[in-house]
Amino acid sequence: MMTNTLPKRNGLWKNVLWLAIFLMVLYVSGSISGVDMPRFFGNMGQMNIILQKMARPDWAYASVIVEPILQTIQMAIVGTTFGAIVALPFSLLAARNIMTNDFISGIFRFVLNIIRTIPDLMMAALFVAIVGIGPVAGVISISVFSFGMIAKLFYESIETIDEGPIEAITASGGSKFDIIRYAVMPQVTSHFLSYLLYAFEINIRASTILGYIGAGGIGVFLQRSLSQFRYDQTSIIVLVIFAVVLVIDTISNRLRERLI
């Protein structure tokens, strides 16, 4: 005679244990890093004051930040373009199905790994110290950041292509240039353009933060308004940045849907 029995919930205590470990690690991490949550909630009144001031934007200030926001967009366009141009040959040399010499491809991957480990804010601060305050430092920082990110996405995309066309061109005596032109690029061009648009979206946001430390763009005005406690001007800057990012994200998503 068969009896219907419910399975034992052996995983319940295990989940409770992992939850307890997570909460303990969270508490210890907060204690070590000096996170004072009671103080945070105790200063909520100050946050309400700031929000009240931001709720009354200085609309006349909108005309002042038109040029800086355009400069921010231009920085993102130029930086993303330069980074992508340099990333394309690097990605071909880092892809192991194109560069069969593991030592050479390993060197290029190592260089890309080093570049990606450097925070964009650190790069911006470095280039501000080298070339001075202004959009040039921002463009260089965005270019380097875009190069590291796009090159990785590019060579990973190249390594997932169909090997059949490569083998056919190689068997017919084609050169490396023929393989790249006729076997690789037709398969990955749409992905490349999609990654380029994705990097541009990220760089629009990044250029705002980079400008905050003196690398040009709208971030300079954001830092200025905050340091002067002009939260009515800060509100306008935030609204303009939000509108620009929303429009660019919408256009970029539509373009990516058509490309893929």
Side-chain angles (χ1 to χ4, degrees):
M1 182 177 179
M2 298 180 61
T3 58
N4 296 327
T5 58
L6 294 175
K8 297 181 179 180
R9 301 177 63 182
N10 295 327
L12 177 60
W13 289 108
K14 185 183 293 185
N15 294 334
V16 173
L17 177 62
W18 280 113
L19 178 61
I21 293 174
F22 170 76
L23 293 176
M24 183 175 63
V25 172
L26 183 64
Y27 174 77
V28 173
S29 301
S31 300
I32 294 175
S33 58
V35 176
D36 189 354
M37 295 304 295
R39 182 179 179 183
F40 171 77
F41 289 106
N43 291 333
M44 291 297 292
Q46 182 65 26
M47 181 179 294
N48 291 332
I49 295 175
I50 294 175
L51 292 177
Q52 290 175 6
K53 293 181 179 180
M54 293 182 66
R56 297 188 291 271
D58 182 9
W59 296 105
Y61 192 69
S63 60
V64 178
I65 61 174
V66 171
E67 183 177 351
I69 195 66
L70 292 177
Q71 187 181 73
T72 298
I73 298 173
Q74 293 166 358
M75 287 168 52
I77 293 174
V78 175
T80 305
T81 303
F82 283 169
I85 291 174
V86 181
L88 180 57
F90 260 76
S91 62
L92 293 170
L93 294 171
R96 292 198 171 104
N97 56 342
I98 302 299
M99 176 53 65
T100 55
N101 189 319
D102 291 339
F103 178 75
I104 296 178
S105 63
I107 291 176
F108 282 97
R109 292 189 179 209
F110 179 73
V111 172
L112 293 175
N113 289 334
I114 292 177
I115 292 175
R116 288 200 309 275
T117 57
I118 303 175
D120 50 354
L121 287 175
M122 182 182 296
M123 284 191 294
L126 176 63
F127 290 121
V128 165
I130 294 174
V131 302
I133 295 176
V136 176
V139 169
I140 298 175
S141 303
I142 293 173
S143 299
V144 176
F145 170 75
S146 301
F147 162 70
M149 177 181 64
I150 296 175
K152 177 178 173 59
L153 295 174
F154 277 10
Y155 81 70
E156 288 181 347
S157 179
I158 292 172
E159 290 182 339
T160 61
I161 64 175
D162 182 12
E163 299 289 337
I166 296 179
E167 295 174 356
I169 295 176
T170 303
S172 62
S175 62
K176 284 287 186 182
F177 179 77
D178 295 328
I179 293 175
I180 295 171
R181 180 180 179 183
Y182 298 108
V184 177
M185 296 308 298
Q187 298 188 62
V188 297
T189 299
S190 61
H191 295 285
F192 280 9
L193 295 176
S194 177
Y195 295 148
L196 183 64
L197 292 172
Y198 174 67
F200 176 64
E201 293 177 21
I202 296 177
N203 289 335
I204 285 291
R205 302 178 181 90
S207 58
T208 301
I209 304 301
L210 296 182
Y212 191 84
I213 61 174
I218 192 65
V220 176
F221 289 78
L222 178 61
Q223 189 273 340
R224 186 182 304 168
S225 65
L226 289 172
S227 63
Q228 296 176 352
F229 304 103
R230 292 297 306 272
Y231 297 114
D232 54 342
Q233 297 179 355
T234 303
S235 177
I236 290 294
I237 295 174
V238 171
L239 290 174
V240 170
I241 293 174
F242 174 77
V244 170
V245 171
L246 182 63
V247 171
I248 291 176
D249 282 356
T250 302
I251 296 174
S252 180
N253 290 333
R254 297 289 178 84
L255 291 175
R256 281 205 304 270
E257 289 174 359
R258 294 186 178 183
L259 291 173
I260 299 179

